[in-house]
Amino acid sequence: MLPSLSAEVTSSRRRIQVAIGKRLEGWPAFPYDISVRISLWVSVLVVTGLFGWGAWQRRWVADDGLIVLRTVRNLLAGNGPVFNAGERVEANTSTMWTYLVTLGAWLGGPVRLEYVVLALALILSVLGVVLAMLGTGRLYAPSLQGRRALLLPAGALVYIAIPPARDFATSGLENGLVLGYLGLLWWMLVCWSQALRVAPVPAERRAAGGAPQARSGRYFDASLACVSGLSVLVRPELALIGGGVLVMMLIAARGWRRRVLIIVAGGLLPIGYQIFRMGYYGLLVPGTAVAKDASGSKWSQGLTYLNNFNQPYLLWVPVLLLVALGIVLLTTRTRPWWVRRQMPRGYGWLARTVQSPAAAVVFMLASGLLQGIYWIRQGGDFMHGRVLLTALFCLLAPIAVIPIVLPDGTKFTRETGYLLAAATSVLWAAVAGWSIWAANSPGMGTDATRVTYTGIVDERRFYSQATGHAHPLTAADYLDYPRMRAVLTAINNTPDGALLLPSGNYDQWDVVPAYPPPPDLTPADRRALNFPHTVFFTNMGMLGMNVGLDVRVIDQIGLTNPLATHTQRLTDGRIGHDKNLFPDWAVAEGPFFKIRPYIPQYLDEEWIAQAQAALECPATDSMLNAVRGEMTPRRFLSNLMHSYEFTKYRIDRVPEYELERCGLDGPTPKTPPYTGMPATGP
């Protein structure tokens, strides 16, 4: 009885192992040599510890990070993915980051949103570096089998040494998500590139007619395609990377079924969300892309931004060292294992070329260059180093770790000789030395917190100085920023509603009162009314998180204000802030008094009247109704059909010129225009 039971258990165990083996067959795997494995994981642990500790020492949540949290608050309150209730504006560039933070906030319950976003950003940043190192380690591991070698951090060490990389590992922005996403994509791309390179078929299987099989199955391909498709939801410009991976997969795929699987897995979520964006927001791209005119170009400012990023850290030094390391590794490689391994039948030269480790490396390097060129063309950013971190990470990924093959007793062997080990060791030591120096660099120095002619500042240091907090994390910390406490006082002092405009005095706000309610209201009816409060200010994050969701927060640069979004970009404006809507428009479109003495001296009654008349322009009215009208199936379809027109639509920020552009007659001016002739009269 017992032997029979034992045989049955053994048979069941074998069946389970076979089933698991079949399920895992589609997921590429490659055995690591024990020495390589140990050195790789030690390197990962060291870099993880250094990066996590360094990022925590510079922890903060930026004003722009708080903009995301205002949208999350509206989502949790049931107002939809908007910045102001009743106005469908997509104020966040990263769709995936918005919903990921919302999920974290929902799971976190009573935990403050600022702490949720801080934890998510830090974890994803560290995870991205870890995955990049594991992907590169996997890239080298097959050619190191049977050798005594060490995998040491190189590109990863360079990245974490740069102060902006540690600044934006937290910050509340989507940089952490971008890092985690690129690390995952790189690791999966390396796995996919190695899938066709399988071990030779054993003699007994070859005698039975067996042939090598591709190890990249449909489950892995679907997963990689899905991750690649998410690129546009992480950040729009990352579509250049994710889309490129999808193209590579389609070229290498065998059969129409596999290609259909790749297209469906890669396109389902981004296409679905794009339809939602067009119908809900009435735009083809995020509102931030329209506000900053992402299709425009400012090459000179972009080169200034590149120099601003390079100069404090002498980035050309590690670039030269890493290029030299790459050349040494390339020229001493005598075993092109991806060529010598047997290939599955039915794969042509193009498929073999595209689905290869060499192609993965070239693709990642090209992606980094494209990302850098895109941002230089765009003009960079106003935050020191921020947008070029993505390009740098892509360029460093293929050399995140490097192998140092331990000598085998010979002097001149190209693969294992003393000279090779000495050359790679010296170059690596130079990279490590630069990293120590750069990690302690003062960065931008005295210009870090000053908005000079470049418009670029060290954002973390700027807000640390302006708030008096070494680590400004919560919205409450930003109450110590100029004007923030005063805005709460101004709102409390205007119970009947008002438009608040920033005053020259940092301790007060200029108030344009709202139209008063009917005098015969009962106290109960008066309490039931929602009196309008609108605040017009640049720093929407700290402002939006310190006031209630019933307060409308708008800006002059167009991130949250649909009117400002659709103005023309200023030629010489500060990068990232190069739209500037006059506050007269905010008075004109709201239920506020529009004449003196209720408006500040710097506003013009005629401009306000002209702006009010310009709002009657049919095209402008249609654009505003697209985001303010009640969302119905008909409205959704209308927005969907007209999203291209709304995306391209622009107005003139000068009310008089806007009237001329729209062909409207303005109000009768109270003072006659100046003609150069003396006035005549009795």
Side-chain angles (χ1 to χ4, degrees):
M1 186 70 178
L2 287 177
S4 176
L5 180 60
S6 176
E8 184 177 346
V9 170
T10 302
S11 177
S12 299
R13 186 176 297 168
R14 286 177 179 173
R15 286 197 300 270
I16 293 173
Q17 289 174 346
V18 170
I20 294 175
K22 289 182 177 179
R23 177 59 60 89
L24 295 178
E25 186 181 16
W27 289 83
F30 212 107
Y32 287 87
D33 183 81
I34 187 65
S35 64
V36 175
R37 185 194 299 268
I38 291 175
S39 63
L40 174 60
W41 279 106
V42 169
S43 297
V44 166
L45 290 175
V46 169
V47 170
T48 299
L50 290 174
F51 190 35
W53 177 77
W56 182 254
Q57 292 297 314
R58 305 168 80 95
R59 64 193 180 276
W60 69 305
V61 174
D63 174 66
D64 284 40
L66 295 177
I67 293 177
V68 178
L69 300 188
R70 167 86 173 193
T71 302
V72 171
R73 285 175 64 197
N74 273 300
L75 270 168
L76 296 175
N79 297 327
V82 299
F83 191 82
N84 291 306
E87 198 167 56
R88 294 180 296 276
V89 173
E90 191 176 12
N92 310 324
T93 303
S94 176
T95 301
M96 193 172 173
W97 183 236
T98 300
Y99 288 98
L100 185 62
V101 173
T102 303
L103 176 62
W106 180 72
L107 294 174
V111 179
R112 289 187 67 106
L113 287 177
E114 294 93 327
Y115 297 146
V116 170
V117 77
L118 178 71
L120 281 174
L122 182 57
I123 291 171
L124 288 170
S125 295
V126 173
L127 183 62
V129 174
V130 169
L131 288 171
M133 295 178 69
L134 293 179
T136 307
R138 185 186 180 91
L139 188 71
Y140 292 124
S143 61
L144 295 176
Q145 285 186 344
R147 299 179 182 177
R148 295 184 305 138
L150 299 176
L151 280 175
L152 300 181
L157 209 57
V158 170
Y159 184 83
I160 69 170
I162 301 172
R166 285 171 280 140
D167 287 345
F168 292 103
T170 54
S171 83
L173 294 164
E174 69 277 358
N175 291 75
L177 174 62
V178 171
L179 215 61
Y181 172 80
L182 290 175
L184 176 62
L185 187 64
W186 169 241
W187 177 82
M188 295 186 74
L189 184 62
V190 172
C191 292
W192 176 80
S193 71
Q194 293 175 339
L196 298 183
R197 279 73 191 167
V198 296
V201 181
E204 60 273 12
R205 185 180 171 194
R206 188 165 55 249
Q213 298 295 318
R215 301 188 63 188
S216 177
R218 62 179 182 273
Y219 297 113
F220 184 84
D221 280 2
S223 300
L224 177 55
C226 182
V227 171
S228 301
L230 290 176
S231 59
V232 71
L233 300 180
V234 176
R235 273 197 69 94
E237 69 273 7
L238 293 185
L240 295 172
I241 301 178
V245 173
L246 289 174
V247 171
M248 292 173 68
M249 294 182 70
L250 289 173
I251 293 173
R254 287 194 302 173
W256 64 268
R257 291 184 179 179
R258 184 59 62 92
R259 289 188 173 90
V260 169
L261 174 66
I262 292 169
I263 292 172
V264 172
L268 188 62
L269 282 175
I271 292 176
Y273 186 80
Q274 181 63 20
I275 293 172
F276 169 78
R277 170 183 283 147
M278 293 164 66
Y280 190 77
Y281 297 109
L283 294 175
L284 294 175
V285 294
T288 53
V290 181
K292 298 184 179 183
D293 273 341
S295 60
S297 62
K298 285 191 172 183
W299 286 102
S300 60
Q301 176 62 27
L303 292 173
T304 298
Y305 187 79
L306 176 63
N307 182 63
N308 177 269
F309 184 40
N310 165 72
Q311 191 171 16
Y313 319 113
L314 302 179
L315 289 177
W316 59 270
V317 173
V319 168
L320 291 179
L321 292 173
L322 291 175
V323 168
L325 268 171
I327 293 173
V328 169
L329 294 174
L330 184 64
T331 55
T332 57
R333 186 197 69 223
T334 61
R335 296 193 298 175
W337 59 273
W338 56 80
V339 175
R340 294 182 182 180
R341 299 285 184 175
Q342 282 187 276
M343 304 293 293
R345 295 173 183 172
Y347 279 84
W349 70 269
L350 182 59
R352 293 196 304 270
T353 301
V354 170
Q355 193 170 355
S356 68
V361 170
V362 171
F363 173 78
M364 205 63 178
L365 294 175
S367 296
L369 288 174
L370 281 175
Q371 291 291 310
I373 292 171
Y374 168 81
W375 281 112
I376 292 172
R377 176 184 182 274
Q378 175 68 11
D381 192 37
F382 62 94
M383 300 186 195
H384 171 62
R386 178 198 167 204
V387 296
L388 290 181
L389 290 174
T390 299
L392 183 64
F393 187 78
C394 291
L395 292 171
L396 294 175
I399 200 166
V401 294
I402 61 163
I404 296 183
V405 180
L406 301 180
D408 59 357
T410 61
K411 291 185 177 181
F412 302 106
T413 303
R414 287 176 58 187
E415 297 181 7
T416 58
Y418 284 108
L419 291 179
L420 170 61
T424 51
S425 298
V426 169
L427 289 172
W428 180 83
V431 169
W434 174 90
S435 299
I436 295 173
W437 172 80
N440 295 281
S441 167
M444 294 179 63
T446 56
D447 287 339
T449 59
R450 294 188 301 162
V451 183
T452 61
Y453 75 96
T454 66
I456 305 167
V457 297
D458 184 327
E459 197 82 347
R460 183 189 64 83
R461 290 173 61 183
F462 176 86
Y463 281 117
S464 294
Q465 176 179 292
T467 62
H469 295 273
H471 305 287
L473 294 172
T474 67
D477 291 337
Y478 280 93
L479 286 175
D480 294 321
Y481 188 80
R483 296 192 176 94
M484 281 301 102
R485 293 190 187 277
V487 76
L488 302 182
T489 302
I491 290 174
N492 290 332
N493 290 341
T494 52
D496 291 340
L499 168 66
L500 305 181
L501 302 173
S503 168
N505 185 341
Y506 286 170
D507 293 326
Q508 69 182 45
W509 286 72
D510 291 332
V511 175
V512 180
Y515 296 136
D520 55 349
L521 281 181
T522 64
D525 290 338
R526 188 178 184 86
R527 285 193 298 270
L529 285 178
N530 183 20
F531 296 105
H533 274 100
T534 297
V535 186
F536 187 84
F537 193 49
T538 305
N539 301 93
M540 296 79 66
M542 63 180 76
L543 182 60
M545 284 296 289
N546 278 304
V547 300
L549 296 179
D550 57 332
V551 177
R552 183 170 179 250
V553 177
I554 59 175
D555 64 306
Q556 72 270 35
I557 60 178
L559 295 181
T560 66
N561 185 351
L563 273 177
T565 300
H566 290 274
T567 57
Q568 295 287 351
R569 189 181 190 184
L570 300 177
T571 303
D572 298 318
R574 183 189 177 195
I575 191 69
H577 299 71
D578 40 12
K579 290 189 177 181
N580 189 8
L581 187 71
F582 295 110
D584 307 75
W585 290 90
V587 179
E589 69 166 344
F592 310 112
F593 283 104
K594 298 170 175 54
I595 58 174
R596 303 197 189 283
Y598 302 104
I599 60 174
Q601 292 296 319
Y602 53 80
L603 297 184
D604 189 284
E605 289 185 31
E606 292 185 14
W607 274 48
I608 295 172
Q610 290 169 350
Q612 194 171 15
L615 290 172
E616 301 298 323
C617 178
T620 303
D621 182 67
S622 178
M623 179 270 293
L624 292 176
N625 281 333
V627 299
R628 294 175 180 171
E630 182 183 0
M631 179 48 63
T632 62
R634 183 173 181 178
R635 171 71 60 192
F636 187 92
L637 290 175
S638 175
N639 287 355
L640 192 68
M641 298 297 295
H642 296 91
S643 56
Y644 176 79
E645 300 171 28
F646 294 146
T647 303
K648 294 296 183 182
Y649 185 66
R650 296 292 183 272
I651 66 174
D652 199 300
R653 67 193 191 106
V654 179
E656 183 179 359
Y657 298 160
E658 174 61 11
L659 288 171
E660 294 179 4
R661 185 196 67 83
C662 208
L664 295 176
D665 294 328
T668 303
K670 293 183 178 180
T671 57
Y674 177 71
T675 62
M677 300 296 293
T680 59

